[in-house]
Amino acid sequence: MGGLAFASGPDPVFTPRMKPEVYRAMRDRCHKKLRDLFVVVATPIEGPAKTSFGDIDLFVAWEWKDVFPQSKPAPFGASDEDPIDVVCRVLGAIRRKTAQGKEVSVAVPWPEDLPYSEAEPKNESSSDVRMNGLEEEGEQKHGEDEKSVNNLGPRCIQVDIHICQSLDYLQWMLFKHAHGDLWNLLGSTIRPFGLTIDEVGLYVRIPEIEKFEKQKAKVLLTTDPSEVLNFLGLKCTEKEWEEPFASDQEVFEYAATCRLFWVKPDDSEGGSAEIDRRKLKANDRRRMKFRPLFRKWIEEFIPACREAGRFASTPLTRDIVREQAFACFPRLRSDYDSHFIKWLIKKQKVALVNDMIKPTVPSDMGYERRGHCVSALKKIILDGDESFGGIVAPPGLKRQDGLFDEDAVRAWVGNNWRAVMRFALDIQQERRAVRMGG
């Protein structure tokens, strides 16, 4: 939430940005306190060359009382107490805001022994991690908040705690949020090739589904950071994933080692930064406004590479990258085909009702009678309902892959809708008689 979670509302607190020495001292104190509650406590690798921090992000997993119940006493209260309540108490929080799942932002009083200057540095370079990937949360009121921030009190430090359900998930979150906005840069690089990364893992998108439902187009490739790095061609042999990069330029150069990164050479369009901006998706255009590192990547690094003729080789196609993913992740093809077929079946069922069943049943028979008939046909054909007096959908209506033979469905509906209507009306009359008799 970038230090703005408590800047507004009926009972605001002042959470100014922290200088690096304050950030690191407070981060280490929080780590020490939470290690009495959790076996694993960690913070993502910082963004490059940061001169101030808006909040502290902590990822925790494995409560001592659950993993090693006999090895450590429970000094903080009853063993069945909500871990979020315990975390807030241990950190001395005076405010809290709970997000979905096991995520909470707390306001902790600024320690008296840590220096504070009213002229704290403003936001620069890489912005801080946002919980749940909501990059713009609180940003729209950022300017308004900063104008009134000195009127807020008391002075606190915002700490965002993510309680992870497994070590694998904690490892993924540390990876995904490492180096500040690195994955915003890489995300915009891999997206044109049908790949997406989020808080769960790396996905390949099915283009036929993506045209209609973007979120449902995703098929999971992996949740293993090492597999992601290997597939994208990113180095992990030195200290890239052990410590922060020294500068924005180092982040850019590392992101550019992704095997899918390329820069379109100058052409008739001019190849300018303005053209690069116009080609951005809506989410990336918002990042341009609120994420300084991403804006610098688009407006400075990529145009500089274009001018120098760097990374100008012809890129791979989306189809080739998908085939490479099939080869790299053995179970993907089966998952991909299954996901696609399930979506096609769902889409086809809607089309069968709207384009075959409803048009076949005459519209001049009365609204109620027609509705009962259409409903019965849907149950018989789509749900396999066998409770309509022996009228059942023949096996030939469905193919082996689960999709319906549309010609067979159209013919069967045309031949059977009258019998289905008669039985459906009989059922409704029986139900009406029962209600009246009751």
Side-chain angles (χ1 to χ4, degrees):
M1 294 183 182
L4 294 174
F6 305 98
S8 59
D11 194 17
V13 296
F14 179 30
T15 52
R17 298 188 67 81
M18 297 166 279
K19 292 181 178 179
E21 58 270 23
V22 174
Y23 165 82
R24 295 187 179 103
M26 194 62 184
R27 177 200 62 193
D28 293 346
R29 293 180 189 185
C30 291
H31 277 218
K32 184 177 180 180
K33 290 179 179 180
L34 292 183
R35 284 200 180 100
D36 283 331
L37 298 176
F38 300 93
V39 178
V40 182
V41 180
T43 295
I45 298 172
E46 303 161 9
K50 291 182 70 68
T51 61
S52 72
F53 296 81
D55 58 17
I56 299 170
D57 278 277
L58 303 174
F59 292 84
V60 301
W62 280 20
E63 289 184 74
W64 279 102
K65 67 181 181 62
D66 294 334
V67 181
F68 304 108
Q70 303 301 322
S71 64
K72 211 172 178 68
F76 303 110
S79 60
D80 59 351
E81 188 175 3
D82 188 308
I84 288 181
D85 292 336
V86 180
V87 165
C88 292
R89 181 154 40 82
V90 168
L91 294 180
I94 64 170
R95 301 282 190 282
R96 73 156 77 174
K97 284 190 177 181
T98 303
Q100 61 182 359
K102 294 290 187 178
E103 299 179 356
V104 61
S105 291
V106 300
V108 178
W110 191 292
E112 294 183 0
D113 63 323
L114 294 181
Y116 169 73
S117 168
E118 291 188 4
E120 289 297 305
K122 303 299 184 195
N123 195 3
E124 71 331 271
S125 185
S126 309
S127 297
D128 303 293
V129 174
R130 265 60 171 180
M131 292 169 65
N132 299 322
L134 300 179
E135 295 158 357
E136 294 82 35
E137 186 171 345
E139 293 283 8
Q140 292 181 354
K141 295 183 178 180
H142 191 188
E144 178 182 337
D145 289 335
E146 290 208 320
K147 290 178 182 178
S148 60
V149 79
N150 289 320
N151 297 322
L152 300 177
R155 185 169 70 247
C156 290
I157 291 173
Q158 181 178 318
V159 183
D160 296 339
I161 303 99
H162 312 244
I163 301 178
C164 302
Q165 299 305 303
S166 69
L167 286 182
D168 286 342
Y169 182 64
L170 182 144
Q171 180 188 33
W172 177 262
M173 292 297 282
L174 292 177
F175 172 69
K176 175 65 168 55
H177 291 288
H179 301 300
D181 282 336
L182 172 63
W183 281 105
N184 280 331
L185 314 185
L186 291 169
S188 66
T189 298
I190 66 177
R191 191 178 302 116
F193 299 95
L195 301 176
T196 295
I197 193 165
D198 66 10
E199 305 298 88
V200 174
L202 178 68
Y203 300 81
V204 62
R205 303 189 308 277
I206 301 176
E208 293 87 350
I209 300 179
E210 189 176 10
K211 296 175 184 177
F212 302 95
E213 300 176 277
K214 291 183 179 180
Q215 286 301 314
K216 294 182 179 180
K218 300 189 301 183
V219 182
L220 186 65
L221 293 183
T222 182
T223 59
D224 186 330
S226 62
E227 291 183 346
V228 172
L229 294 176
N230 180 62
F231 185 68
L232 298 181
L234 292 162
K235 292 193 303 180
C236 58
T237 56
E238 298 178 6
K239 294 185 177 181
E240 298 91 357
W241 297 96
E242 296 179 10
E243 59 187 33
F245 289 106
S247 65
D248 292 351
Q249 187 65 25
E250 282 195 8
V251 176
F252 297 153
E253 292 294 341
Y254 179 74
T257 65
C258 174
R259 68 185 184 89
L260 300 180
F261 179 71
W262 79 294
V263 177
K264 187 176 182 180
D266 281 328
D267 54 20
S268 57
E269 293 181 332
S272 67
E274 178 61 32
I275 291 171
D276 290 331
R277 284 193 295 270
R278 288 203 301 267
K279 291 181 178 179
L280 293 174
K281 299 293 185 180
N283 285 342
D284 285 338
R285 288 196 295 272
R286 283 194 292 271
R287 291 187 183 101
M288 286 283 289
K289 185 175 181 180
F290 298 117
R291 315 298 287 191
L293 189 73
F294 185 74
R295 182 168 61 248
K296 191 174 179 180
W297 165 262
I298 297 295
E299 293 185 342
E300 298 180 24
F301 182 75
I302 291 179
C305 289
R306 178 178 291 114
E307 185 176 351
R310 301 179 67 195
F311 311 110
S313 59
T314 303
L316 300 173
T317 66
R318 181 169 179 169
D319 290 342
I320 290 175
V321 172
R322 182 170 59 250
E323 289 299 321
Q324 291 175 340
F326 288 152
C328 186
F329 303 98
R331 290 187 295 182
L332 174 61
R333 188 181 294 275
S334 174
D335 292 344
Y336 186 99
D337 292 342
S338 175
H339 188 85
F340 189 26
I341 286 293
K342 287 179 181 177
W343 181 82
L344 284 175
I345 291 173
K346 183 178 179 180
K347 185 171 182 288
Q348 188 190 44
K349 285 183 176 181
V350 175
L352 290 176
V353 173
N354 294 332
D355 302 336
M356 296 182 190
I357 296 177
K358 287 183 177 180
T360 302
V361 180
S363 59
D364 59 357
M365 66 171 56
Y367 177 80
E368 185 176 1
R369 296 178 66 200
R370 185 171 186 267
H372 291 320
C373 182
V374 170
S375 177
L377 286 167
K378 287 167 59 177
K379 292 177 181 178
I380 293 170
I381 298 171
L382 305 183
D383 302 331
D385 194 325
E386 299 180 357
S387 64
F388 288 87
I391 304 176
V392 297
L397 295 189
K398 269 191 178 181
R399 304 186 329 212
Q400 288 186 348
D401 60 7
L403 288 168
F404 288 88
D405 183 327
E406 296 183 358
D407 290 336
V409 170
R410 184 181 290 105
W412 190 88
V413 172
N415 293 331
N416 292 276
W417 70 266
R418 294 175 180 83
V420 171
M421 181 183 66
R422 287 192 292 270
F423 198 84
L425 292 178
D426 289 343
I427 291 176
Q428 292 305 315
Q429 290 175 358
E430 291 175 4
R431 291 176 178 171
R432 188 177 294 112
V434 170
R435 287 197 299 269
M436 294 178 65

